[in-house]
Amino acid sequence: MREKILEDLKQAMKNQDKNLLTVIRMVKGAMQMEELKVKHPLTDDEVITIISREIKTRKESISEFEKGNRTDLIEKAEQEIHILEQYMPEQLSEEEIDKIIEETFQEVSPKAPNDMGKIMGLLTPKLKGKADMSSVSKKVKDKLTQ
């Protein structure tokens, strides 16, 4: 994953693709900061975590830009999200996510809403990078309160 990002950085420089170059440089910088923090080269899972964090940040920014009626910034953030999503693993469909949640519920047999930590602890390794974990968390919470 890391090599692909660095290779795409070189290609974006050659092609003078400013949007792609800006986003990849941002990802590279975030990766370098994380490597300094953890003191080892990042694994693909760690790179995916960084990229999903960046996507989440941009989605939050879009909601703020909508409040301020800044369509120019909304478009820019959406373009950046589109570029970042190319580095993410293929996302699971809603049906696949629901099936994994259901299997985990059968495995854990939760009795109360405070079992959410157990369920999310099992779901996170299965779904991380393949699904929006905030929507997964919401689905689990809704299912627990039924």
Side-chain angles (χ1 to χ4, degrees), residues 6 21 26 33 36 38 47 57 74 87 103 109 120 129 133:
L6 296 176
L21 192 57
M26 175 273 313
M33 293 296 291
L36 288 173
V38 298
V47 172
T57 302
I74 292 171
Y87 295 101
E103 289 169 356
S109 301
M120 290 304 293
M133 291 309 289

Side-chain angles (χ1 to χ4, degrees), residues 90-107:
E90 188 174 329
Q91 299 293 295
L92 297 174
S93 69
E94 289 297 316
E95 294 80 28
E96 291 170 315
I97 294 168
D98 291 340
K99 181 180 176 208
I100 293 171
I101 290 172
E102 189 60 43
E103 289 169 356
T104 305
F105 264 77
Q106 290 172 1
E107 185 180 326

Side-chain angles (χ1 to χ4, degrees), residues 5-34:
I5 290 171
L6 296 176
E7 191 58 41
D8 288 352
L9 177 68
K10 290 177 193 172
Q11 197 60 43
M13 290 168 115
K14 287 179 186 174
N15 297 340
Q16 297 182 352
D17 186 341
K18 288 185 181 7
N19 291 338
L20 182 60
L21 192 57
T22 302
V23 174
I24 294 176
R25 280 184 174 151
M26 175 273 313
V27 170
K28 182 179 177 228
M31 286 172 23
Q32 289 172 329
M33 293 296 291
E34 190 69 20

Side-chain angles (χ1 to χ4, degrees), residues 18 36 42-43 61 71 81 101 109 133 136-137 140:
K18 288 185 181 7
L36 288 173
L42 298 178
T43 64
S61 297
T71 54
I81 289 171
I101 290 172
S109 301
M133 291 309 289
V136 170
S137 176
V140 169

Side-chain angles (χ1 to χ4, degrees), residues 38-100:
V38 298
K39 296 179 177 35
H40 65 77
L42 298 178
T43 64
D44 283 354
D45 284 343
E46 290 169 322
V47 172
I48 288 170
T49 300
I50 291 169
I51 294 171
S52 56
R53 191 179 327 144
E54 295 296 332
I55 291 172
K56 181 180 177 188
T57 302
R58 277 155 185 75
K59 286 181 179 178
E60 291 168 354
S61 297
I62 287 174
S63 65
E64 292 300 315
F65 296 150
E66 287 171 345
K67 291 176 188 172
N69 202 20
R70 295 292 310 267
T71 54
D72 55 329
L73 296 176
I74 292 171
E75 287 176 20
K76 184 177 185 293
E78 286 173 344
Q79 288 173 351
E80 290 175 357
I81 289 171
H82 179 72
I83 291 169
L84 290 168
E85 285 176 339
Q86 294 174 6
Y87 295 101
M88 295 294 289
E90 188 174 329
Q91 299 293 295
L92 297 174
S93 69
E94 289 297 316
E95 294 80 28
E96 291 170 315
I97 294 168
D98 291 340
K99 181 180 176 208
I100 293 171

